[in-house]
Amino acid sequence: MAFQQWKEEHQALWEFILFNVLSNVSTVSRFVVTWIGTALTGGAGTVVVFLAEFITQVVNYFVQMKFVFKSTADFSKSAPKYAVLALIIIVMNSFIVPKVGELLISMGVAATAVNGVIVPVAGTLLAVIISFPLLKFWIAPDDKK
C-alpha cells in the first residue's frame, strides 16, 4: 500500500525509473536479433544491424507507451513522432557522439577510455536526456487527460 502511494505521489520519478529499467527489454531484443541474425546470415553486418535496430525500436516504442507512460495516444500520431526520435538518437550516436570522442582523443585522452567508456556512456546519457521528455510530453501524452 505504501509503495503504491509513493508511486502516485512521485509519478514522474517512477516513470523515469521504469523508463530506464524497461529500456533494457529493447536492449535484450537488440542482442537476441543480432545474435540470431549473425548466425543465420553468416555475419551480414549492415543488414543485421539495421534489422536489430528496427526491432529494438519497435519493442521500445510499445514498452514505453504501454508499460512506462501507460499512454492512450493515437498510434497514427505517436508512431511517426517516435520514428523521428529514433532517427535523432541514431544520428546522434552515429555521428555527433563519436566526433566528441575524436576531439577528446586529439586532446590527449586515452583512446581506450574514450571508446570504451566515455563515448558509450555519453551516448546513453544523451539518449536518456532527449528521449524521456520527448516521450513523456510529445510522443506518449495521455489523450484522455
Side-chain angles (χ1 to χ4, degrees):
M1 201 59 139
F3 183 63
Q4 184 63 31
Q5 182 179 354
W6 181 90
K7 288 190 320 185
E8 290 171 8
E9 291 173 0
H10 302 91
Q11 181 182 358
L13 176 59
W14 179 241
E15 286 175 342
F16 186 71
I17 292 167
L18 280 177
F19 168 82
N20 284 289
V21 171
L22 294 180
S23 289
N24 292 309
V25 171
S26 62
T27 301
V28 169
S29 69
R30 176 181 288 119
F31 287 136
V32 170
V33 171
T34 301
W35 294 331
I36 292 171
T38 300
L40 292 176
T41 65
T46 304
V47 173
V48 171
V49 169
F50 177 78
L51 180 62
E53 190 60 35
F54 178 79
I55 298 294
T56 297
Q57 294 305 327
V58 169
V59 168
N60 197 47
Y61 170 82
F62 286 105
V63 166
Q64 299 301 338
M65 294 294 286
K66 300 304 172 193
F67 297 106
V68 175
F69 298 106
K70 297 179 178 35
S71 176
T72 59
D74 185 333
F75 178 81
S76 67
K77 294 177 184 173
S78 62
K81 292 176 183 177
Y82 185 84
V84 170
L85 171 61
L87 286 173
I88 289 169
I89 292 170
I90 290 167
V91 167
M92 180 187 65
N93 282 328
S94 297
F95 301 105
I96 298 168
V97 174
K99 290 294 181 194
V100 172
E102 291 172 14
L103 176 65
L104 290 172
I105 291 170
S106 73
M107 294 168 58
V109 179
T112 53
V114 169
N115 295 322
V117 178
I118 296 171
V119 166
V121 169
T124 300
L125 287 175
L126 285 172
V128 168
I129 290 167
I130 292 169
S131 296
F132 184 78
L134 287 179
L135 276 160
K136 182 169 180 61
F137 300 111
W138 183 53
I139 298 168
D142 194 340
D143 282 350
K144 292 180 181 175
K145 289 183 181 175

